[in-house]
Amino acid sequence: MGKLFFTPGPAQLYPTVEKHLVEALHSDLGSISHRGKQFQKLFTQTTENLRQLLSLPHDFGIYFTSSATEIWEKSLASCVEEKSFHFVNGSFSKKYYEFAKELGLSPFKVEAEMGFGFDIDKIEIPEEAEVICCTQNETSSGVQMPAHDIHALKDKYSSKLIFVDAVSSMPHPHFNWTKVDSVFFSVQKAFGMPAGLGVWIANEKTLAKANELKSKGLLKMPYHNLLTLAENGKKHETPATPNVLYIYLLGKIAEDMLKKGVENIRKETKTKAELLYNFCEKSNLLEPFVKNKMHRSETVVVANTHKPAADIIEALKKENIVLGSGYGNLKEKQVRIANFPSISVAQVEMLIEKLCKL
Ligand SMILES: *Cc1c(COP(=O)(O)O)cnc(C)c1O
């Protein structure tokens, strides 16, 4: 401990993680049964806190997996008979698309270059696509799909399911829950927890689609599919022995975020994003990678560097500050700065001050 992490996941821990983990161990949560009242109560508490935090209606269930990667696979395998449609503009959205191919489906995609988003009015989605898969926050490039663009897809293609990877932005995006069907995230990004838990939010329509696949004999996934998660979820349980400790921890962090107020958290995120982008625009050291302001991620700021990125990262490391490196082959020329709720406005200001001196 002691370092400050601006990495986009695993990320800086939420300030209350330590306190809650100690409390969890004192309450024997590492040893309790996952088929008993104590766990069911804990599961209910966590899902209710998340429901309140996200203003989630009751036709949506909340299910736990081991990662978001697992949800890429399970969402496609549980709900797509043949064809999904994918918005691809970086490494994460591309993997979601590739999972569909690996599963033997015939996915469609529209692809934008790294650093670019989509002009969704100009994109026609084929009639045969059953599900539209969006990556709300493309963590590799720092490009976002604004929530209103995702909602517009539902307006135009109301019979298709809309699945949203919001892994590196939740709880920041403000979704209209009548316009999305499934949204998922993992906890090591903006919730500031250690990695090891995926969260899948899915509505009745998503479940109905999975039931349709099942009735056709197409749902063959013994290790978790949407229906096994939902059946167990009804009993406030999970199909396998889950990460009880983290389900508890997530409930507590959601509670802390509720106390702070989700609108305050969103406002602070916007303030910090503005500070970072304004700095990058004026700086001789950094420059925003994403040119279109509408498509700039508010939770993961990606910047081109005018010095070798490794030098900047090294210099900050000496100050106990950890920046994210550029993704994949952009490693040498970019840095990624996570702007998650665990980082305060003062800490962003402090980072900017240090960057000014480099
Ligand atoms: C990190 C990330 C994932 C993968 O999350 P895991 O918890 O590692 O499975 C998926 N999508 C996006 C956009 C991410 O940033």
Side-chain angles (χ1 to χ4, degrees), residues 8-9 66-72 92-93 135-140 165-169 184-189 195-198 300 336:
S66 56
S67 68
T69 303
E70 187 187 342
I71 305 171
W72 280 340
F92 290 94
S93 45
T135 300
Q136 194 278 327
N137 200 63
E138 178 44 81
T139 321
S140 63
D165 173 336
V167 175
S168 55
S169 52
F184 53 90
F185 61 94
S186 43
V187 296
Q188 76 276 17
K189 313 264 167 118
L197 188 68
V300 180
R336 290 181 302 155

Side-chain angles (χ1 to χ4, degrees), residues 180-219:
V180 291
D181 298 289
S182 256
V183 175
F184 53 90
F185 61 94
S186 43
V187 296
Q188 76 276 17
K189 313 264 167 118
F191 277 87
M193 281 175 49
L197 188 68
V199 182
W200 185 0
I201 296 168
N203 68 3
E204 295 291 339
K205 279 188 206 147
T206 309
L207 284 180
K209 185 73 201 290
N211 269 311
E212 197 184 313
L213 258 71
K214 189 182 177 188
S215 68
K216 292 182 181 169
L218 297 172
L219 192 59

